[in-house]
Every structure is written in C-alpha cells, then in structure tokens.
C-alpha cells in the first residue's frame, strides 16, 4: 500500500501535514499488525542518538529523521522503511548483495530503501545508518571519536 500511495498519490505530499497524517495512519496499522517494528524504531533512535552530533526530528513527510549536524543521515517511515542517501557506487554494491532497493521515488540517485521485517533487519538498518553517519562525518571534515564500521563490515 505504501508504494501505491507514493507512486500514484505522491502529488498529495505538497498538501501541508498530509504526509504526517498518512504516516500516523501507517503507525496505527503497524501497531495492530506488527508492533515490534515500532520497538525496533525506538531502539534504533536510542542508538543513533548516542553518536556524536546526532539529532532526531520528525521527517517532512512523517516518520523519524536522523541528522548529523543538521544534515540528514536517513529517515524511517512508520512502516519500518528506512530511506537514506549514499553514494551511487555504494548503493550499487549494496544492491548487488540484495538487501536494499532503489528508493521508492528517487531511483536514479544514491538514495536507497530498506524494509525492516525482523530483528536482523533492525541490526542491518543500524549498520546502514552508521555508514551514512560516517559519510557525513568524513564530508564535514570533523573527526569523530567513535570507531566506525566500513562498508566491508556490512
């Protein structure tokens, strides 16, 4: 259903707060059908906020957005869909492994989508977010005191 709405009704995202309302409906649906996804989202948020200079905010279309120094690391919609920007080469490498997909709207970019279905997926989502965090740390020129994994560790 999420893909149907984003593909055929995506033009509605320009209506103020409609994205948040849709995401609220998704959250209610997930609460009924697969409540553990909401627990995983809370666990991911708690972990990401331990990393230096990170914050979380409500994403402009709903869900939870993680930032490093006001730059988006990625965001998780209330249905457990992680969207984030990586380089195109890293995206292609991850897609060859087969765990991530093209972003549901930005196909020919470095944006990826990853659905969480189980606890292992939650851990993989954390690794992806950590990779995005590292990309932004390196881009900013600020050195993090945290030991960060590389792409090869995923």
């Amino acid at each position: 259903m999420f893909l149907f709405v984003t593909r055929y009704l995506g033009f509605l995202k320009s209506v103020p707060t409609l994205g948040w309302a849709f995401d609220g409906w998704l959250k209610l649906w997930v609460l009924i059908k697969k409540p553990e996804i909401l627990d995983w989202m809370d666990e991911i948020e708690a972990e990401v906020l331990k990393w230096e200079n990170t914050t979380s905010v409500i994403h402009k279309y709903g869900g939870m957005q993680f930032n490093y120094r006001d730059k988006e690391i990625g965001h998780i919609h209330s249905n457990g869909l992680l969207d984030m920007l990586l380089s195109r080469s890293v995206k292609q490498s991850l897609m060859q492994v087969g765990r991530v997909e093209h972003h549901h709207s930005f196909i020919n970019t470095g944006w990826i989508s990853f659905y969480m279905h189980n606890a292992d997926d939650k851990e993989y989502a954390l690794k992806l977010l950590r990779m995005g965090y590292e990309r932004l740390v390196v881009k900013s020129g600020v050195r993090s005191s945290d030991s960060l994994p590389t792409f090869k560790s995923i």
Side-chain angles (χ1 to χ4, degrees), residues 2-154:
F2 180 83
L3 289 177
F4 174 83
V5 170
T6 58
R7 185 170 293 136
Y8 298 107
L9 303 176
F11 64 92
L12 293 174
K13 67 184 174 188
S14 60
V15 177
T17 70
L18 192 58
W20 292 347
F22 177 69
D23 197 72
W25 183 86
L26 275 177
K27 186 176 271 190
L28 181 60
W29 180 255
V30 168
L31 180 63
I32 294 166
K33 290 296 209 178
K34 196 155 183 168
E36 60 271 18
I37 288 177
L38 300 178
D39 293 335
W40 300 334
M41 289 173 60
D42 289 344
E43 292 168 18
I44 289 170
E45 180 180 27
E47 178 61 29
V48 170
L49 291 179
K50 292 178 185 175
W51 305 341
E52 286 184 46
N53 300 305
T54 58
T55 57
S56 67
V57 297
I58 297 173
H59 186 262
K60 64 184 173 182
Y61 301 125
M64 186 182 338
Q65 177 175 317
F66 303 107
N67 295 326
Y68 169 76
R69 296 182 179 259
D70 297 323
K71 299 283 186 196
E72 183 178 351
I73 300 169
H75 58 273
I76 303 176
H77 297 279
S78 292
N79 62 344
L81 172 64
L82 169 65
D83 291 327
M84 58 184 295
L85 179 62
L86 299 167
S87 70
R88 287 183 184 198
S89 61
V90 170
K91 173 186 176 176
Q92 290 306 315
S93 296
L94 290 171
M95 289 190 68
Q96 287 177 354
V97 173
R99 292 195 70 185
V100 303
E101 303 172 8
H102 290 291
H103 184 273
H104 49 90
S105 297
F106 306 118
I107 293 169
N108 296 318
T109 67
W111 280 92
I112 62 160
S113 289
F114 175 72
Y115 280 96
M116 290 188 291
H117 300 288
N118 56 52
D120 289 340
D121 288 345
K122 177 200 77 163
E123 294 302 323
Y124 193 74
L126 264 171
K127 289 179 181 180
L128 291 170
L129 286 165
R130 191 66 177 200
M131 185 187 309
Y133 171 78
E134 172 66 3
R135 181 181 73 81
L136 291 175
V137 168
V138 169
K139 249 178 126 170
S140 73
V142 176
R143 185 168 171 90
S144 171
S145 65
D146 293 334
S147 172
L148 302 171
T150 63
F151 168 68
K152 291 181 181 17
S153 68
I154 292 184

